[in-house]
Amino acid sequence: MTLGIETSCDETAAAVLRGGREILSNVISTQIPLHQKFGGVVPEIASRRHIVNIMPVIDEAIKKAGITPGEINQIAVTYGPGLVGALLVGVSAAKSLAYALKIPLIAVNHLEGHIFANFLSTPELEPPFLALVVSGGHTALIKMTDYNNFELLGQTRDDAAGEAFDKIARVMGLPYPGGPEIDKLAKTGNPDALEFPRPKVSDFDFSFSGLKSAVLNWLNTAKMKGEEINNADVAASFQKTVIDSLIEKTFDSAEKFGLKKIVLAGGVAANSSLEKEMREGSESRGFEFFYPSKILCTDNAAMIACRGYYQSLTGNFAPNTLNAVPGLSLG
Ligand code: KG4
Ligand code: ZN
């Protein structure tokens, strides 16, 4: 039994896994309504709310799993990347519980956790594969040759894809988080209505800040001229430009590195058009395509427990002096 704990951003989450892939409970307490009035996550408020939520969420996860604390064999916790104050709450809770229960502690990288969400949604999935991780803080292409080998092939040089979704939604007056709102709005818009500049970066890196500025400038200019703005068309055209860039780099790198399976991960993986385009593109190019169920795309602790389980198989445990590492990189 692995207890997973996740507090890197604005969700307080705990989950219990039996073995590596069977979810017994997956509790997520979201702080979204709390941060909505500020238009984004306020780090200090997030940390304070994690402190209030963490023990009730862990208690609920244990109760829903139908086990007692004594039956937990190990604790996996996110120690980075993320907001330092938020991470510290989960890390401190995990260390205290591991010490009290006399069980091993496992330090999990949040990004690796996102990829492992796929093992929970598709129990038969095995590496090697190419993973595209798209979240609020990261956009990265990762080659995974086995459960513990991550090779970063490319990443964003500036904004993450989710960050661009959130910023544009905010300027359009949509609530935080903007990704799901743009996703919804884009369904009624014309993706070819507006032509925004396509990001141009070499190799397998990404860039979204130029596109973000172009959309924001377009919106400001239209507002100043008093022109009527069709938000649905803006959302659909922006979303298409992001998706085209993600898809092109993903298929190119899978081909270059001879990988037959493509795995989507992170909060933006919940985007319905991204998932559809990736699936259709994979089918026509002969790749096998995998993506997590919606609840496992965004931050959760089941994915952290899953990653932790595979670390435990190689004896990769953490000392009780573990600290949060907000800028933790992959691998
Ligand atoms: O992985 P995640 O929950 O947290 C981070 O690790 O960052 O990702 C959150 C991001 C936010 O930027 C949110 O707007 C975006 O994922 N997101 C979406 C969708 N659902 C969540 N972006 C586009 N379409 C969606 N349906
Ligand atoms: Zn995340």
Side-chain angles (χ1 to χ4, degrees):
M1 298 280 185
T2 306
L3 171 69
I5 298 176
E6 155 63 41
T7 62
S8 67
C9 192
D10 59 349
E11 329 278 356
T12 318
V16 176
L17 244 59
R18 176 163 35 213
R21 303 194 181 201
E22 188 190 350
I23 300 175
L24 297 190
S25 64
N26 186 23
V27 178
I28 304 167
S29 168
T30 183
Q31 303 180 5
I32 287 175
L34 203 65
H35 298 282
Q36 241 161 10
K37 59 176 169 287
F38 304 102
V41 178
V42 183
E44 191 53 32
I45 294 178
S47 325
R48 284 162 194 256
R49 186 47 65 118
H50 282 310
I51 293 174
V52 174
N53 286 347
I54 188 75
M55 290 318 294
V57 164
I58 291 172
D59 275 344
E60 196 182 331
I62 294 172
K63 206 177 283 168
K64 280 199 169 146
I67 61 164
T68 61
E71 288 174 83
I72 302 167
N73 302 106
Q74 51 189 11
I75 301 181
V77 64
T78 304
Y79 76 113
L83 302 168
V84 67
L87 288 165
L88 275 170
V89 179
V91 167
S92 305
K95 279 160 63 171
S96 312
L97 280 172
Y99 179 74
L101 296 168
K102 299 187 177 60
I103 54 176
L105 181 69
I106 309 160
V108 173
N109 180 315
H110 182 81
L111 296 180
E112 295 175 6
H114 270 303
I115 300 174
F116 276 61
N118 281 283
F119 295 127
L120 296 170
S121 286
T122 311
E124 64 278 12
L125 176 65
E126 301 273 356
F129 52 67
L130 175 78
L132 171 66
V133 181
V134 262
S135 72
H138 296 85
T139 306
L141 276 169
I142 294 146
K143 177 181 165 187
M144 229 180 107
T145 46
D146 65 49
Y147 289 98
N148 297 296
N149 193 319
F150 306 85
E151 189 187 333
L152 185 64
L153 303 178
Q155 61 185 326
T156 181
R157 296 197 181 167
D158 38 60
D159 292 353
E163 209 174 334
F165 270 92
D166 293 342
K167 186 69 199 283
I168 286 164
R170 187 174 167 173
V171 171
M172 282 177 164
L174 300 168
Y176 174 83
E181 299 293 327
I182 296 221
D183 189 358
K184 232 184 291 164
L185 197 57
K187 287 190 192 348
T188 58
N190 172 9
D192 300 314
L194 300 158
E195 197 164 326
F196 293 122
R198 300 176 63 130
K200 281 195 188 68
V201 250
S202 55
D203 299 327
F204 301 119
D205 279 350
F206 299 95
S207 165
F208 295 108
S209 84
L211 169 64
K212 181 188 75 183
S213 302
V215 179
L216 297 181
N217 285 341
W218 187 92
L219 284 167
N220 283 337
T221 311
K223 254 182 237 162
M224 272 184 333
K225 286 185 184 161
E227 288 171 3
E228 201 181 314
I229 298 173
N230 184 330
N231 272 348
D233 283 352
V234 179
S237 303
F238 157 73
Q239 182 175 280
K240 179 176 187 289
T241 316
V242 173
I243 291 176
D244 284 352
S245 162
L246 292 172
I247 285 198
E248 185 189 315
K249 301 257 172 172
T250 304
F251 290 136
D252 284 357
S253 57
E255 259 152 35
K256 176 168 176 190
F257 291 94
L259 296 160
K260 303 267 178 285
K261 296 180 209 169
I262 292 175
V263 158
L264 192 57
V268 184
N271 185 277
S272 45
S273 299
L274 176 60
E275 181 261 300
K276 179 174 173 282
E277 304 262 332
M278 279 284 213
R279 182 164 31 79
E280 290 173 358
S282 296
E283 270 163 21
S284 65
R285 290 173 175 83
F287 293 111
E288 259 190 286
F289 174 60
F290 303 88
Y291 68 101
S293 59
K294 288 250 184 303
I295 193 68
L296 294 171
C297 281
T298 43
D299 291 349
N300 66 88
M303 68 185 196
I304 302 304
C306 179
R307 173 64 191 127
Y309 170 83
Y310 282 94
Q311 283 178 231
S312 74
L313 296 183
T314 60
N316 182 3
F317 296 105
N320 214 277
T321 50
L322 178 70
N323 203 353
V325 182
L328 184 68
S329 52
L330 201 91

